[in-house]
Amino acid sequence: MSRRRTAALPKPVALLFLLPAAALFAVFVLYPMATALTYSLFSWRGTAQDAFVGLDNFVALFTTEPYATQLPRAFGHNALLFAGAMVVQNSVGLLLAYVLHRRGRLRRLFQVLYTMPYLVSPLVVGYLWSLLLSPLFGPVNAALRAVGLEAVAQPWLGDPDTALWVVVLVTAWQWVGFPLLVYGAALGALDPTLEEAAMLDGASSRQRFWHVTLPLLTPVIGTVSVLTFIFSMEAFPIPYALGGSSGSPAGATDVMSLLFYRTAFHSGASNAIGISSAVAIVLFLVIVVISVLFTRWFRSVERRLT
Amino acid sequence: MRRAAVSTLLWGYAAVALLPLLIMVWNSFRTDQELVVEPLGLPHSPSLDAYREAWVEASFSTYFLNSVLVTTASVLLSTAVSLLAAYALARSRSRLMTVIEQVFVSGLMMPVFLMIVPIFYLLDTIGLASTRTGLILVYSAVSIPFSVFVLATFLRQLPDELEDAARIDGAGPLRTFWSVLLPLVKPAVATVVVFRFVPIWNDFFYPLILVRDRAQYTLPVGLTTFFGEYQTSWSTLFAGLVIATLPLVVLFLVATRQIVTGLTAGMGR
């Protein structure tokens, strides 16, 4: 980048312009972040900060009930949500983006149609599907019966074996538009001569996809995967709408965010603030560490490919 | 043959994406009776009863107004302060500015769960607990990282000869900002406005925790209580979902291009 000769704004004026944003950001983002870290290191009596206890809250989180059971279970569900998103939403998104990219006609229209669920509030999406899957009047079961699949119709959200899969699929349904748009943009930016060269060399369209297009998309796939991971770990409105704050039935749809919410605001434990802050920090650390490792791994894959 | 398969795939997925939303809309015009007897039917005699019920009895008029107020005020406030800050960051070179910009942008990664309890106590301490004002300030603050990032990137692409010319003509920094730069950054401002409006309108976590007073509820929190109370009035529930979604559809029709580019903003390499 070339160095500018003139600074258009004198420093005092620049600082004055920065002031409103900086004040707002400091009070409502930086200060809460800083204090959150200390919250987990103290014991609490209701809303009053008590004694400094070091890492005791974290130890309690992993060794005392109900957290010792609920924490790994909730984390496992988040992991499944991520796996489901990678398998369902990202591959469907990539497939649709690729087909649309090669097709051209009506591309814009399909993009808009596929993006519609992404625009709707996740809470609305969750509630909508809870109505669609209702055993009483749900159109999903009615449709299954209408095509002779009576045996498949069931109370999807009442059965612990199916409820979590409903959460996974509903989340994927809402999010497909995101990878679709990102992959669509990335495909549009690729150099078309590479694929033409492969075509002249006699590569089939399947070979061209696997050996030319996919490797070129690696960096974008990496970014989408990391973001998918972060979103999966922080999932809240859809599980809340489908399974309530306790992750019903029987905790089958419980996730980390619900565990945090219950612990902080509905557990009634006197040390609720200390423990829930520990939950939030564990979640935060998991997200940061795995995202960094993920990004590094994708970079090395990218280097090997080029 | 191949083309037919591709067309089937594309239209098939379009149905998967849209059908649930269409069912939501047309079921909101039907009665509970019709819903039970004929779950797959179309509205025979479309009725607005469900909307009347949701809007009047279930206080959706209040929630809707609160949502409009909170979302609009948050977007305006955050865009205004972010524009000023982005101008300062884009047009002055110093180590301090670089540090400040990095602090702002680091906010893009701040997780909501970590901040919410301290924010709850903070609002309580300054007397803004359970108020729309408190919610507006919080939303504005958390919007700053994205807005500053987009606006500063855009402002840097504008040649600074324009401002040099304005300065030679005797305009001060504020005047230059208002009359020269603001008209030029309109597209970026539109992107920021649309792209912050959607998540704030849809957000549910902050008001769920920060707002305890029913009269101050926004639509998403209103929806959660409404789903508990109207469990057996299904068409009313569908109507509530449509009401919560409607402004986004309007926004989408007005600003499709902004939304589609906004959704992928920052994703390009």
Side-chain angles (χ1 to χ4, degrees), chain A residues 21-33, chain B residues 118-119 122-123 126 137 141:
Chain A
L24 211 51
F25 191 71
V27 174
F28 292 103
V29 177
L30 293 183
Y31 167 76
M33 279 310 286
Chain B
I119 289 178
L122 177 65
L123 289 180
I126 58 180
L137 290 172

Side-chain angles (χ1 to χ4, degrees), chain B residues 48-59:
Chain B
L48 287 173
D49 286 354
Y51 286 92
R52 199 169 306 124
E53 176 94 16
W55 190 256
V56 183
E57 313 278 317
S59 328

Side-chain angles (χ1 to χ4, degrees), chain A residues 4 8-9 14 17 27 33 36 47 103 112-114 118-119 121 123 127 137 173 176 236 257 260 265 273 284, chain B residues 7 10 13 16-17 39 87-88 91 93 110-111 113-115 121-122 160 202 205 209 220 224 227 234 248 252:
Chain A
R4 284 174 194 279
L9 271 187
F17 275 37
V27 174
M33 279 310 286
T47 59
R103 167 117 156 166
V112 168
L113 296 183
Y114 297 163
Y118 182 41
L119 203 66
S121 160
L123 188 74
Y127 280 133
F137 66 94
W173 175 79
V176 159
F236 183 70
S257 58
F260 166 80
F265 301 99
I273 301 298
F284 175 60
Chain B
S7 284
L10 291 178
Y13 197 81
V16 170
Y87 179 45
R91 286 295 184 257
R93 295 266 159 281
M110 302 278 188
F113 299 110
L114 213 45
M115 295 191 300
Y121 286 135
L122 177 65
D160 47 358
N202 285 344
F205 192 65
I209 285 157
T224 64
F227 258 74
W234 307 304
L248 295 180
F252 194 88

